[in-house]
Every structure is written in C-alpha cells, then in structure tokens.
Amino acid sequence: MRILVVGKGGREHALVWKLAQSPRVTRVFCAPGNAGTAGQAENVPIDSTPNDFDRLIRFAKKEKIGLVVIGPEEPLAHGLTDAMQAEGLRVFGPTKNAARLEASKVFAKNLMRQADVPTAEFRTFDHPQLARHYIESREYPLVVKADGLAAGKGVIVCSTKQEALQAIDRIMVQEEFGAAVGRQVVVEKRLEGQELSLFSLVSGRTILPLPPTQDHKAVYDGDQGPNTGGMGAYCPAPIATPELLQQIEEQILVPTVSAMKHARMSYRGLLFTGLMLTNQGPRVLEYNVRFGDPETQPLLMRLKSDLLDLLEAVVDERLGDIDESRIEWDPRPAVCVVLCSQGYPGPYVKGRVIQGLEEVARLPDVQVFHAGTRQEGGVVLTDGGRVLGVTALGETLADAKRRAYEAVARISFSGMHYRKDIADKALAVTPTPPVTSAPEGATS
Ligand code: AMP
Ligand code: GLY
C-alpha cells in the first residue's frame, strides 16, 4: 500500500517513520515534509491550506494512495477529509464537522456540558462587555480562550482579573488572533494539577485508548515562561494509574464519543483528550482531533505492532475487532526532548546549520524526529520554531531521560535552546523500577 502523510512537523516524521516499517507499506509520501521525513518518505512540495486541497487530491489519485493520514488540525478543520472522501480516497482523520471538537472551543465546551463530561466551570460570550462583567464577578483565577484555532496561542491563562480583562481585549477587540477566531470566547475557571495527554483511537462507538503521555507546555524549566506547542514528553505517564484511566474512559471518553454520535458527527480518527488531574478528579481542558506533538514521538517509539493495522481498523470501522491486549508496546519508557530555535515561542531565527545528526543516528534506541528543518545541499538547516525532537528508550524513565539528554549533547545549532527537566515531575513522584513485566495490556 502507498501512504500519504500530510504535514511537516515532528508528529508527521514519527508517523512516516513508523508507517514505513509496516511490511504492507510499499511507499510513503509526505506533503510537504521536512529534512527528516525525506529519510523514509518522498517529500511532495504541496502544502495543506484549502487552496492546496485540489492538488493534494490529484496527487493522491495519481499515485494510487491507499491511505491518507492527516497530521495537523488546520486541514481537518477546513474539511480535507471530506474533500478527499468525496473523491473516493481513504483518509485517517475526522470530518470537518467532527473536527469542531478542536476547531471551536465553544462547541467543545457545550458538548461537554450537554454530555456531563467533567470540565472547568465556564461561560461563553460573543460580546466583550458581557465577558468583562462576568470576569468582574468571579472570585477565582480564570482562563480566557479564543473560540477558533490560533496555533495554540489563543488560550490565555490568567492570574488576576486585570489579566483576564486584557485577554478579552486582545482576543475580541484587537482581534490579535483574527476576527473570526475571536468572535466568541470561553471564560473558564483556572484549574490546578498535573496535565495528562490521552490519545484514543475512535471509530463510531469503539474507543481504544493508547498509553498515556505527558507534555511540557511552558518554554522554561520548572514550567516557567510562556506556553509553546510542547517542549518535551514522555510515555507512559506513571501518574495515570489503571484506575484513573478507567475513570477517564467511563466519565469522559464514553460520554464524549456517544454525544458526537448522537449529534450525527460520528468520530473517526485520533481523539486527543487534554486533561487536568485536579484534587476533585480528572477534568477536560480541551479536545484535539489529531495526534499531539511532541507526545506522538515517545508514543510511537514504544509501539511494536503495525501502526497501519490500527489506522485502517479506524477508517474501515473495524476497531471493535482489534484485541487491545494484542497491541504490542515496548515495555521500556520513552522520553522526548524538543530542541528549539533562538527566540521561540516568540519570533525566531531560521537557516542555522545543524550539527551532530550523523553521530546521533548511530546511537541505539534513539530517534531524532525532525520538525522545523530543511535540507540544502548536504546540510540540514533549521526552518521552524521547534526544530528537532530527540527521543530515547531506556530501562527506566530516568534511564530514558539520561539517554535522550546524552544524544541532545551531541547536537548543536546556533541559538539552540531546550528544557533540561523533561520527565522530572514523573521522576519526583514515582521512582520507576526497572521494567521486567510483559507489555502493558498483555494478558499472557
Ligand atoms: P492549547 O493546547 O494550546 O489549547 O493550550 C491549552 C493549555 O492551556 C493547556 O494545556 C493548559 O496548560 C492551559 N489551560 C487551558 N485551560 C485551562 C484551565 N481551565 N486551567 C488551567 N490551565 C488551563
Ligand atoms: N502537545 C500538545 C498538542 O499537540 O497540542
């Protein structure tokens, strides 16, 4: 089978890397890809804005693509799945309607309310003055969220009323994230706790949760500084005990997925539930309608089964036939450290030469997934804010962390920065014993 992966980040490189290992895959294309995807796939210079949809569809038909895997949220929100399906292509990724779970925070919060899914107390507004009155009346810290997609920047976590009022101004009055994105806002209670990223394969009513992961959103060590797309992740997340995962499945995943089905927006794809683990129990912060980045990198490092089998089962509505206990995961934990360009998450510099990649490629159980990179002549240059995800497996979480940072130490580019404390939160909570058990989920 020939596969087309749409996107150009670390997530897409991890998907390409894993799908290329499938014995059933003959060729992988990545549109537009990066210097890393070029190693296992053929990069195709087509972007995925709505203007590019026709070209992508023509390419997929000409190349007889058997499965299209859409990485990022924007093409999903703009209906790439629908457009491709209408042309007879097989696509992994939800339809435009179902993608509203991520593309509209107002839609997602209303669905949670209706389905009784635990989430932060909230109100939605389409006028700044009403939002301001509400903010003045609250006695707790708030989070203000622009309704639409804003590349992860439309969520403003506030400590004071003043900050929340400014957030309303930025989103609704200055329209900093665009007029449509800021037409409505969600104002919600700020929750305290650890965050958890839980990915599930979903097809109709069937839900198959994958091992839990944790991201590191803030740019600096100790969760300081502004939020980014994610500075590092590990899998599994020891904080997510089997009991907690059971509770999340019953109280959150099942009602969410059946509410979507009831609303005639049957979900088919990867559902990413972003949770806050509060003292009162797990609460949904948001849904994403795609694999998370960087979480997908350590997750797929651990997957031993064929990813194509799983994605096809979703697309063909055969997910219920997959025996969860037969999906094989490497029992070793994986840690991913993201290396960023100078200035990120603000305006950043591009075009810097990256050194050390060949040396790291020789390390066992280490993968460098490329994000913002491009190849020019014989050299790899930085080409985005998040540049590389260095991912390592280890006997313990501490060992995986040590091995990831040993690899990081061999890579350099001018202005490179990264967090030094990826996985420390989990290490402080649970000193993990060496892994001797069978793969998780396995019964024998
Ligand atoms: P994003 O994934 O870019 O939409 O960013 C959402 C991030 O904002 C989450 O990962 C949290 O770190 C933070 N956040 C969102 N909602 C809340 C909330 N109610 N309380 C505390 N932090 C929140
Ligand atoms: N790492 C969080 C996300 O992919 O949205």
Side-chain angles (χ1 to χ4, degrees), residues 193-223:
Q194 278 203 47
E195 286 184 48
L196 184 72
S197 302
L198 186 60
F199 300 174
S200 312
L201 294 170
V202 175
S203 188
R205 263 188 208 291
T206 313
I207 302 168
L208 198 158
L210 304 176
T213 61
Q214 261 182 312
D215 188 12
H216 296 67
K217 294 253 174 193
V219 66
Y220 303 126
D221 288 8
D223 292 334

Side-chain angles (χ1 to χ4, degrees), residues 206-400:
T206 313
I207 302 168
L208 198 158
L210 304 176
T213 61
Q214 261 182 312
D215 188 12
H216 296 67
K217 294 253 174 193
V219 66
Y220 303 126
D221 288 8
D223 292 334
Q224 301 299 305
N227 269 354
T228 66
M231 297 294 290
Y234 51 93
C235 176
I239 195 169
T241 59
E243 298 74 35
L244 179 67
L245 292 173
Q246 180 73 28
Q247 185 187 0
I248 293 171
E249 181 158 355
E250 282 165 16
Q251 295 178 1
I252 292 170
L253 302 180
V254 170
T256 300
V257 166
S258 48
M260 289 298 283
K261 195 159 163 60
H262 263 113
R264 294 176 186 281
M265 282 178 249
S266 227
Y267 196 92
R268 245 190 286 154
L270 190 289
L271 180 64
F272 166 163
T273 313
L275 300 147
M276 186 72 91
L277 307 179
T278 74
N279 289 336
Q280 282 81 46
R283 301 280 182 271
V284 177
L285 293 178
E286 61 182 352
Y287 300 109
N288 295 310
V289 296
R290 36 124 191 127
F291 284 94
D293 200 4
E295 294 96 319
T296 300
Q297 302 176 45
L299 179 85
L300 292 185
M301 269 300 265
R302 298 187 55 235
L303 178 63
K304 289 181 145 183
S305 302
D306 190 341
L307 178 62
L308 180 61
D309 290 344
L310 299 177
L311 302 188
E312 281 199 295
V314 170
V315 172
D316 300 339
E317 299 203 37
R318 287 186 288 101
L319 192 60
D321 300 342
I322 298 259
D323 179 354
E324 209 174 323
S325 67
R326 300 195 65 141
I327 303 176
E328 221 192 312
W329 298 95
D330 195 315
R332 294 173 296 171
V335 170
C336 167
V337 179
V338 175
L339 310 183
C340 301
S341 290
Q342 185 179 344
Y344 178 80
Y348 51 79
V349 189
K350 293 201 245 186
R352 299 265 163 91
V353 177
I354 304 173
Q355 259 140 3
L357 292 172
E358 304 78 16
E359 196 188 331
V360 173
R362 288 193 289 271
L363 298 176
D365 293 325
V366 172
Q367 285 299 326
V368 177
F369 295 112
H370 290 224
T373 68
R374 72 187 158 89
Q375 183 118 26
E376 204 175 272
V379 287
V380 178
L381 302 175
T382 66
D383 197 38
R386 293 192 291 174
V387 177
L388 301 166
V390 179
T391 307
L393 290 161
E395 291 306 315
T396 61
L397 193 60
D399 188 41

Side-chain angles (χ1 to χ4, degrees), residues 4-23:
L4 170 64
V5 174
V6 174
K8 60 178 179 184
R11 160 186 49 213
E12 286 77 19
H13 188 192
L15 288 165
V16 161
W17 170 80
K18 187 66 202 165
L19 287 165
Q21 292 167 28
S22 167

Side-chain angles (χ1 to χ4, degrees), residues 105 120 143 145 151-153 155 157 188-192 195 217 227-228 276 285-286 288 290:
K105 299 215 184 285
V143 179
K145 302 181 171 186
K153 298 196 180 80
V155 173
V157 180
E188 70 179 34
K189 187 171 182 176
R190 177 172 167 177
L191 303 174
E192 301 292 337
E195 286 184 48
K217 294 253 174 193
N227 269 354
T228 66
M276 186 72 91
L285 293 178
E286 61 182 352
N288 295 310
R290 36 124 191 127

